[in-house]
Amino acid sequence: MTLNLGCALLALTLATTCLADLPDLDQIRQGFVNPPDDARIMMRWWWFGPAVTKAELEHQMQLMKEGGIGGFEVQPTYPLSTDDPNKGIRNLRFLSEEFLDAVAFTASKAKELGLRFDLTLGSGWPYGGPQFDLSQAAGRIRYVDVKVTDGIERQPLPVVKEAERVFAAFVGPFSDPNTGTNSYRQLQIADGYVLLPEDCRKQTRILFFIVSQTGMRVKRAAYGAEGYVIDHYRPEVIKRFIEQIAEPVLNACGENRPYAVFCDSLEVAGEDWTYDLLDEFKARRGYDLLPYLPALFDPSFPSSAEIRHDWGRTLTEIYTEYFNAAFQRWAREKGTRFRIQGYGSPPAALFSYAYADLCEGEGFNWDGFRESRWAASASHLLGRQVTSSETWTWLHSPVFMATPLDMKAEADMHFLQGINQIIGHGWPYSPQQAGYPGWRFYAAGVFNEKNPWWIVMPDLSLYLQRISFLMRQGIPANDVLLYLPNSDAWARFVPGRVSMNADFASKVGDTVIRSILEAGFNLDFCDDQLLQMRGQVSDGAIYFGDICYRAVVLPGVERMPASTIKTLEAFARSGGILVASRRIPDRAGGLKASKQEGDMVYKTATSLFKGPDAKAILVADDSQVGSAIASRLQPDVKISPAGTRLGFVHRKAGQVDIYLLVNGSNAPVEAAVTFRQTGKCLQYWDGLTGQVRPIAADQSSDKATTTSLALEPYGSAVLVFAPGQGPSASSTMAGKELLGSIDITTNWKVIFSSAAGDEDPEPMIMERVRCWTDYDHMTYFSGIGSYQRPFDLDQQWLRPGVRIILDLGTYQQITEDRGGRGAIRGGGRRFRAMIDPPIKDAAVVYVNGTRAGAVWCPPYSLDITDLVRPGINELRIDVANRAVNYMAKDPPRDYRQEYRQLIEQFGDRFQPQDMDQIRPMPSGLTGPITIKAVAAAGG
């Protein structure tokens, strides 16, 4: 059996963006200033227990809406409390009538509130539950190596566990010193024994191959959802999951269907076998895998890599066809969509996303191999406008340490990879009875109203909403396709390690991606199947719908299907840029690949890269790829000086070109940025304020436009090229002149409001502005400190062309967090913004009783011109910190003791992360604080 690519192509054609429907500049600008609701961020909403009530569900949905959050994804998960009638806490059994009634209520209320409602099928991750016994659980292959006595005629089969079955036995290995290979001899199994032929009775090893199970159970399961993870390769098991788990919860929603149903991380470690794999393998690959089983474990077996290629390819195909495609069909039949994080184990490939409706990724490392770019690439090649990502996982761990700046900085890195739907990780359902700061997920940030800095959440949400909207306009304008060699990944599979994206992260790696980005190009991933399904070669480019790619990179590729090399040959000979690093492909993958096919791959690649009529470029190292492309194609964005952590993403909407530039470092960046754009007006669109203004640019070249750009740490800028003429580089519009300033660092009154609902601390008089945590009795205070004082403004400053700016101070770069006990443990999965800000951690400013705006990221200043008056003005700065200070007063240490009764009843279902790092953080203002009068130079 093979996947029906034709049906997928038809469905994708219907979803592809039509350039004729693209909005014009005015529509885009209006949408940017006031973005549509569907561009709002979402949250993963953990229902702990689930111990939920309708009143609290409605309350929390209202809070989300007030915070600028556009929807949520319900995920039932483990209990955080035993039943407590005195507190009104009761865990509802998963799929019980009461649970389904809560789902129905949520679906209805979400629709009433205008919130998007997505629904995780099942509980926790991966899919599974008590409906499945071991025979239906995720499978694996294992072997038992038995040493036998010389001369023995028969050997009993090894004892196996429940649901396991010995299905093959081999004697060996027999080593061939001439070839360096090992061979094995298959033995016959009968009546619980294997029989050894006479000429094998001096061999001392028998390998027994066993169909086994991973034993993995659903992670973080809700009450009543405990059980084995399902076999993702068996249609009858998947059908059972749909009928017994997915159908009841979806049907509970009635006419209020979720926007999408969701499959969280696959993460089924070691799922590499299923009971009928041998039959599937033979039908798809054309030969029997049974005699070749030792090749899966012994790399010295003849053609081991090619056999493993065929095994891996079969796993990917049956996963995609039986799991992905089944849920996509079912979701569409039910009037919803199938959204999935399509990577991990079982070995989903990039093309597997064709059999889902919405692609989702995760990971913030924008200049390396991450699943956010993996998912966005699939969306781009499949003609889908929206790609979501699980965002803020592990952000600034431990819990309640993350700040709005942390959130913006990481989200921007997702945008750089092509993400345009943020799904925050996450929002814990927490009843009032749980106290302050409430329930929280074991390994994630908390982004709900329990954070005192919630006062700026609407402002942060609006920024993310604006950028998400812009990143959906038109089509992606990436020049480069980075080819992911599925055949090489399959050939490197070994039992227990069968993940496509993990292989690519290791073997394709980060260096080639950084080389492309640093050379001024952006990229998408591509594989053979998507190239076959959607790619069209024309005039030196490969088109996926309206999206045009001018360069293709082959990163150390060894194997390649003949169809792919022929497509790339046509591409290169029509003028396309084809670059290979480290080596060129020289074979087709698979044991039964014909010699003719392998020779064709080798000869075609040799002709393209090394022949007298060579059209392609071979470089020795991945780091040389970017410069090789730049030797034939003008960079889209060139940044000088080089070496900054400045990333970009480019969208094209008709004649409008939209660039998002992001400073991914804790250092300010000042750079000359050259764009491959000419003859257009350049505008700066401020994502924080919604303001749009033209900016000066040098358009003296007929090939490029250059402008100066200054970005604060973790700053971002949207630059838009549109038809028309803008100011020249000699324009004075960009200049600023300081007319004068007033230092207001001294004489502040501070009034406190506790987030925990405790008695508020007594107000303070600060002779000089400072953090309230400088006072011992305020160390563990979480809440809002309202800094208040008047200031006198001279009439001469209040004239046209002069702006009045409130400057709250500057930041410092740091190498570790400033707080109790030094740096928090980090690593590749944990992000935090490494600056010490003058506002700890967010502020809302009021001038003369009117809200002037929020300040929570650099630059720490605010234009208050429209609210000031001559003479005495009243200034109030509400500064909010983090809930972690309150937690640090009585920090959780031994979770087993804290949750002893819970563990006794439900088992040990989670282990809170980094709790030993809970500590109070500096909170308040540090100054200096000034009022500045600024005029445009020459004004």
Side-chain angles (χ1 to χ4, degrees):
M1 298 175 67
T2 57
L3 292 168
N4 189 338
L5 301 183
C7 291
L9 180 58
L10 175 61
L12 295 169
T13 301
L14 298 176
T16 302
T17 301
C18 176
L19 284 176
D21 297 332
L22 291 172
D24 61 21
L25 179 63
D26 287 341
Q27 290 174 308
I28 298 173
R29 184 165 48 228
Q30 291 168 12
F32 171 72
V33 175
N34 297 297
D37 288 348
D38 65 7
R40 293 179 185 268
I41 67 170
M42 295 175 60
M43 287 288 176
R44 177 168 297 173
W45 193 8
W46 293 295
W47 288 10
F48 294 104
V52 297
T53 65
K54 292 179 181 179
E56 187 59 36
L57 289 169
E58 180 175 358
H59 175 233
Q60 295 191 24
M61 283 186 271
Q62 291 278 9
L63 288 169
M64 290 187 207
K65 189 174 180 69
E66 292 168 7
I69 296 166
F72 50 83
E73 157 207 309
V74 170
Q75 186 171 101
T77 189
Y78 56 85
L80 275 176
S81 173
T82 57
D83 290 357
D84 189 336
N86 293 329
K87 291 185 176 181
I89 295 176
R90 186 165 67 90
N91 293 287
L92 310 179
R93 188 176 185 86
F94 184 69
L95 294 184
S96 67
E97 288 187 14
E98 292 165 300
F99 168 77
L100 294 177
D101 186 45
V103 172
F105 172 81
T106 301
S108 175
K109 185 58 65 173
K111 183 177 181 179
E112 177 185 321
L113 294 173
L115 296 173
R116 173 174 157 181
F117 161 55
D118 283 14
L119 184 61
T120 302
L121 297 178
S123 166
W125 72 96
Y127 285 177
Q131 296 84 353
F132 306 95
D133 59 29
L134 263 177
S135 69
Q136 300 163 317
R140 69 182 180 109
I141 184 173
R142 69 181 184 94
Y143 74 89
V144 173
D145 186 348
V146 176
K147 293 182 179 180
V148 297
T149 306
D150 285 353
I152 194 170
E153 296 183 8
R154 65 178 191 168
Q155 174 71 24
L157 302 184
V159 176
V160 295
K161 303 173 186 175
E162 179 187 353
E164 289 188 327
R165 176 168 59 86
V166 179
F167 70 102
F170 293 81
V171 63
F174 303 100
S175 299
D176 185 338
N178 296 319
T179 63
T181 61
N182 290 337
S183 62
Y184 296 78
R185 185 168 175 180
Q186 188 174 354
L187 301 177
Q188 187 176 22
I189 298 176
D191 299 326
Y193 290 87
V194 291
L195 306 178
L196 280 77
E198 187 174 351
D199 58 349
C200 292
R201 293 175 186 170
K202 291 186 178 181
Q203 180 65 32
T204 58
R205 289 181 61 197
I206 299 178
L207 302 183
F208 292 97
F209 288 85
I210 301 168
V211 178
S212 184
Q213 291 75 37
T214 68
M216 184 177 181
R217 303 179 75 88
V218 175
K219 290 185 177 181
R220 322 307 170 208
Y223 165 52
E226 310 87 347
Y228 290 112
V229 170
I230 65 168
D231 185 336
H232 288 70
Y233 303 127
R234 289 169 63 192
E236 66 273 18
V237 175
I238 294 161
K239 182 173 182 289
R240 183 183 180 90
F241 181 92
I242 289 174
E243 291 175 347
Q244 298 196 13
I245 296 178
E247 289 272 5
V249 73
L250 188 70
N251 289 340
C253 300
E255 62 181 14
N256 302 310
R257 289 289 197 242
Y259 181 87
V261 293
F262 177 57
C263 177
D264 200 353
S265 302
L266 296 172
E267 297 184 22
V268 192
E271 187 179 16
D272 54 31
W273 201 263
T274 188
Y275 283 106
D276 58 356
L277 183 66
L278 291 177
D279 293 336
E280 290 282 357
F281 185 98
K282 188 172 183 179
R284 294 166 186 271
R285 305 283 81 85
Y287 69 97
D288 189 356
L289 177 60
L290 189 64
Y292 300 98
L293 284 175
L296 304 186
F297 295 89
D298 185 352
S300 297
F301 191 95
S303 300
S304 171
E306 306 312 320
I307 296 165
R308 284 185 277 122
H309 166 284
D310 292 342
W311 164 61
R313 180 180 174 185
T314 301
L315 292 177
T316 295
E317 287 181 358
I318 61 176
Y319 155 77
T320 303
E321 181 175 340
Y322 295 151
F323 184 83
N324 261 35
F327 278 99
Q328 183 190 51
R329 283 192 305 272
W330 173 79
R332 290 180 174 181
E333 289 169 0
K334 296 297 181 179
T336 183
R337 302 159 185 84
F338 181 48
R339 174 166 62 90
I340 186 173
Q341 294 181 355
Y343 40 84
S345 176
L350 193 68
F351 77 85
S352 300
Y353 275 123
Y355 302 90
D357 299 303
L358 299 170
C359 310
E360 179 157 307
E362 62 185 300
F364 62 86
N365 303 103
W366 61 275
D367 58 352
F369 189 98
R370 285 303 309 187
E371 288 71 23
S372 291
R373 190 181 296 276
W374 168 274
S377 296
S379 288
H380 295 166
L381 302 189
L382 294 168
R384 298 170 180 167
Q385 284 296 98
V386 177
T387 309
S388 56
S389 67
E390 177 187 303
T391 312
W392 306 321
T393 310
W394 300 97
L395 179 65
H396 207 151
S397 182
V399 67
F400 287 114
M401 284 292 287
T403 68
L405 175 59
D406 292 325
M407 296 166 70
K408 175 192 183 295
E410 182 180 320
D412 281 342
M413 297 183 198
H414 288 256
F415 292 137
L416 287 178
Q417 298 175 75
I419 296 301
N420 50 23
Q421 174 65 69
I422 298 298
I423 299 183
H425 190 275
W427 184 291
Y429 175 96
S430 185
Q432 300 303 310
Q433 305 94 305
Y436 186 82
W439 290 347
R440 57 265 185 190
F441 199 61
Y442 79 103
V446 171
F447 306 106
N448 62 14
E449 88 291 354
K450 303 300 184 183
N451 297 283
W453 55 250
W454 177 258
I455 61 173
V456 305
M457 188 65 188
D459 305 87
L460 169 62
S461 295
L462 182 56
Y463 166 80
L464 298 174
Q465 184 183 0
R466 286 188 174 121
I467 303 302
S468 294
F469 167 77
L470 283 182
M471 294 299 99
R472 298 178 185 188
Q473 301 311 298
I475 57 176
N478 298 336
D479 290 305
V480 180
L481 281 177
L482 181 61
Y483 175 78
L484 301 181
N486 288 346
S487 289
D488 285 347
W490 289 325
R492 290 188 287 259
F493 278 8
V494 295
R497 295 200 305 273
V498 290
S499 168
M500 303 292 282
N501 59 297
D503 179 88
F504 294 140
S506 172
K507 299 301 182 180
V508 173
D510 296 346
T511 300
V512 66
I513 295 173
R514 292 193 182 117
S515 178
I516 294 167
L517 295 173
E518 290 171 1
F521 305 100
N522 216 322
L523 70 138
D524 283 320
F525 301 143
C526 183
D527 65 9
D528 301 298
Q529 288 75 11
L530 286 177
L531 188 62
Q532 174 192 349
M533 291 166 64
R534 294 270 293 160
Q536 298 290 329
V537 174
S538 178
D539 297 327
I542 296 180
Y543 287 86
F544 286 77
D546 295 315
I547 305 173
C548 171
Y549 297 93
R550 297 288 179 184
V552 176
V553 174
L554 311 180
V557 176
E558 183 177 354
R559 296 168 184 81
M560 178 179 286
S563 58
T564 296
I565 196 66
K566 293 301 290 183
T567 298
L568 296 180
E569 180 185 31
F571 166 71
R573 297 202 183 282
S574 69
I577 302 165
L578 182 61
V579 180
S581 63
R582 294 178 262 158
R583 58 168 298 138
I584 63 173
D586 61 7
R587 69 193 69 181
L591 184 65
K592 297 301 181 181
S594 67
K595 184 177 185 303
Q596 179 182 7
E597 184 180 12
D599 287 347
M600 195 272 280
V601 172
Y602 172 75
K603 291 176 181 178
T604 304
T606 300
S607 173
L608 282 172
F609 288 95
K610 297 180 178 180
D613 191 28
K615 298 294 183 182
I617 305 171
L618 175 62
V619 296
D621 186 80
D622 287 350
S623 63
Q624 301 170 329
V625 166
S627 58
I629 299 172
S631 70
R632 294 196 183 179
L633 180 65
Q634 181 183 353
D636 190 15
V637 175
K638 194 67 178 175
I639 299 166
S640 180
T644 64
R645 290 276 295 164
L646 192 60
F648 77 93
V649 62
H650 177 193
R651 303 278 302 189
K652 186 172 184 62
Q655 298 186 62
V656 179
D657 288 271
I658 303 166
Y659 290 86
L660 171 66
L661 293 100
V662 173
N663 178 8
S665 76
N666 68 342
V669 170
E670 293 188 8
V673 185
T674 301
F675 299 89
R676 194 175 59 209
Q677 301 287 337
T678 59
K680 293 183 178 180
C681 173
L682 178 57
Q683 301 177 352
Y684 176 88
W685 294 20
D686 189 332
L688 293 172
T689 66
Q691 295 176 347
V692 174
R693 61 179 173 84
I695 59 173
D698 180 359
Q699 298 196 12
S700 59
S701 168
D702 62 356
K703 294 183 178 180
T705 297
T706 300
T707 191
S708 297
L709 184 66
L711 285 179
E712 301 280 1
Y714 308 110
S716 56
V718 175
L719 299 183
V720 177
F721 287 87
Q725 295 297 316
S728 67
S730 60
S731 168
T732 60
M733 290 183 64
K736 298 287 186 181
E737 179 185 359
L738 178 64
L739 300 179
S741 65
I742 306 170
D743 189 324
I744 57 170
T745 306
T746 57
N747 300 321
W748 289 83
K749 179 180 181 180
V750 188
I751 300 174
F752 297 98
S753 175
S754 171
D758 298 340
E759 183 178 351
D760 295 331
E762 289 294 321
M764 289 183 181
I765 301 297
M766 294 185 181
E767 293 183 3
R768 181 179 179 84
V769 72
R770 62 193 299 185
C771 286
W772 67 68
T773 44
D774 290 349
Y775 300 89
D776 289 344
H777 72 286
M778 295 295 292
T779 300
Y780 301 109
F781 174 78
S782 289
I784 296 172
S786 182
Y787 289 69
Q788 303 174 14
R789 64 154 288 169
F791 65 91
D792 192 357
L793 198 61
D794 196 312
Q795 172 73 52
Q796 66 174 334
W797 284 3
L798 301 182
R799 64 177 191 267
V802 177
R803 309 304 297 176
I804 306 302
I805 307 298
L806 173 64
D807 188 332
L808 294 171
T810 61
Y811 56 84
Q812 293 180 340
Q813 295 173 243
I814 58 174
T815 58
E816 63 179 33
D817 282 312
R818 299 288 176 85
R821 301 200 325 271
I824 291 179
R825 287 189 293 269
R829 298 179 65 186
R830 292 163 166 83
F831 174 80
R832 57 195 183 277
M834 298 303 290
I835 64 171
D836 183 20
I839 300 173
K840 300 172 175 51
D841 295 289
V844 175
V845 177
Y846 296 85
V847 177
N848 297 319
T850 300
R851 190 182 196 272
V855 186
W856 45 272
C857 66
Y860 293 98
S861 61
L862 191 65
D863 189 328
I864 59 173
T865 307
D866 296 338
L867 299 178
V868 295
R869 61 197 177 208
I872 301 300
N873 291 263
E874 296 296 330
L875 177 62
R876 182 179 117 211
I877 307 172
D878 288 352
V879 181
N881 67 341
R882 309 174 227 188
V884 72
N885 285 38
Y886 185 89
M887 285 186 69
K889 185 176 182 180
D890 185 20
R893 295 297 181 215
D894 184 352
Y895 82 94
R896 289 184 178 85
Q897 182 61 34
E898 181 182 1
Y899 295 110
R900 180 178 56 81
Q901 289 183 326
L902 187 71
I903 294 171
E904 288 175 356
Q905 181 172 346
F906 295 108
D908 192 354
R909 300 192 184 199
F910 66 97
Q911 297 78 44
Q913 301 294 296
D914 299 333
M915 289 295 102
D916 61 328
Q917 296 293 303
I918 293 289
R919 67 197 193 282
M921 299 299 290
S923 305
L925 296 176
T926 59
I929 302 176
T930 55
I931 304 290
K932 296 179 178 180
V934 178

